[in-house]
Amino acid sequence: MRIVSYNILEGGVGRADPLAEILLAQRADIVALVEADDPGVVDRIASRLKMDYIHATAGRTGAALLSRYDILETIDHAALGKPVGKALLEAVVNSTVAGQWTVGVVHLTHGAYEANEQQRQQELAVVLDTFAEHRRANRPHLLVGDFNANAPYQQIDPQRCKPSTRQAWQANGQQIPRRVVQMLLDAGYVDTLHAVDPRAASTAASFTTLYPGQRVDYIFVFGGNAAAKITRAWIEQDRLAKYASDHFPVGAEIVVDQ
């Protein structure tokens, strides 16, 4: 099972076909889109990928899940009034190969200041509570998207980051907060890129395409001896991806029980 997550920047208006070309090259079974604000763009990308999709629009930004598998159930948690950040879409997909998997498409508040991290901690606590029953049952599931947060093992050179991040780094006492990703790790989620390539997880960037200094986009998996099932993980940094959005897409491949 191949999963890709992509922040397509302000709805992707005028860039649907380049975005679709990048995603076609990933050969994904499941695609999560954040900042998916424009229904026409989501529909165009899904049509190019020949995927079914669900589009959540109640949050501060849109989120979409595209799938080659049947989409059985969906919940737009922002529509329920939950303080989940920018968006939280939950969907259950089903395949004769992969069985049923629950996928959470996450988009947390942005910003590198300490106050932003505190806000993300509150938002992630709601996300973790939403998926708590899956963890209690050790039910395999995914949390994917733009967490706008940095891993504790990431090496960040502020000079490679965008100017606003450099300003935050100075204001924070020359550091970037790392607590949100640590919360996920403490809850038992596995960072797919770190599981297969710790060096890339520490040094590679998904944001921004112009100032590639941070990795804020993740695919986390939980349950079913998750780490042993991750066979590949990557950040797609080809030339077209550099210009199609301000984020690079991230992907992972997981072996599923048959």
Side-chain angles (χ1 to χ4, degrees):
M1 182 170 67
R2 290 170 66 91
I3 309 101
V4 170
S5 178
Y6 200 3
N7 182 323
I8 60 174
L9 179 61
E10 299 177 348
V13 176
R15 293 174 279 113
D17 284 319
L19 292 165
E21 287 296 327
I22 294 162
L23 289 167
L24 280 166
Q26 309 306 303
R27 298 181 292 108
D29 301 300
I30 296 171
V31 173
L33 301 178
V34 297
E35 292 197 24
D37 303 328
D38 188 276
V41 170
V42 174
D43 188 73
R44 176 64 176 171
I45 293 173
S47 177
R48 290 285 312 277
L49 270 60
K50 296 181 172 59
M51 288 182 166
D52 192 10
Y53 71 93
I54 182 69
H55 190 195
T57 59
R60 284 185 275 153
T61 62
L65 184 99
L66 288 61
S67 178
R68 298 193 191 284
Y69 307 144
D70 294 334
I71 301 174
L72 303 181
E73 303 173 20
T74 63
I75 304 172
D76 183 350
H77 286 283
L80 302 178
K82 292 183 179 181
V84 293
K86 296 186 178 185
L88 177 61
L89 168 62
E90 180 180 356
V92 179
V93 299
N94 184 64
S95 163
T96 54
V97 175
Q100 290 190 11
W101 276 73
T102 298
V103 184
V105 183
V106 179
H107 193 190
L108 301 183
T109 290
H110 68 280
Y113 288 92
E114 172 61 29
N116 303 133
E117 185 79 349
Q118 292 176 13
Q119 180 65 34
R120 282 189 292 272
Q121 285 183 275
Q122 296 173 20
E123 295 165 357
L124 183 62
V126 177
V127 174
L128 290 174
D129 182 67
T130 299
F131 287 82
E133 181 56 37
H134 294 299
R135 295 195 302 279
R136 282 192 289 268
N138 197 32
R139 190 176 299 128
H141 63 281
L142 300 161
L143 292 180
V144 308
D146 179 2
F147 292 77
N148 274 309
N150 299 277
Y153 35 76
Q154 187 178 358
Q155 302 170 23
I156 299 176
D157 178 357
Q159 298 308 311
R160 297 185 62 207
C161 298
K162 65 178 186 175
S164 61
T165 300
R166 294 199 293 268
Q167 293 168 6
W169 181 79
Q170 288 286 359
N172 295 337
Q174 299 188 341
Q175 61 181 343
I176 299 293
R178 315 294 186 96
R179 297 186 301 276
V180 165
V181 172
Q182 187 63 58
M183 287 173 64
L184 285 153
L185 301 175
D186 290 345
Y189 290 90
V190 176
D191 174 358
T192 52
L193 184 58
H194 189 262
V196 298
D197 192 344
R199 183 178 180 277
S202 299
T203 60
S206 68
F207 178 77
T208 68
T209 52
L210 182 60
Y211 297 100
Q214 296 174 274
R215 183 167 70 100
V216 299
D217 304 272
Y218 299 85
I219 296 173
F220 290 102
V221 62
F222 182 96
N225 193 18
K229 296 178 180 294
I230 304 163
T231 54
R232 289 190 60 209
W234 64 91
I235 302 174
E236 180 57 73
Q237 295 182 329
D238 72 9
R239 187 174 183 275
L240 184 57
K242 184 174 181 179
Y243 298 104
S245 176
D246 61 341
H247 289 246
F248 291 112
V250 299
E253 185 175 82
I254 300 171
V255 174
V256 295
D257 295 327
Q258 299 187 22

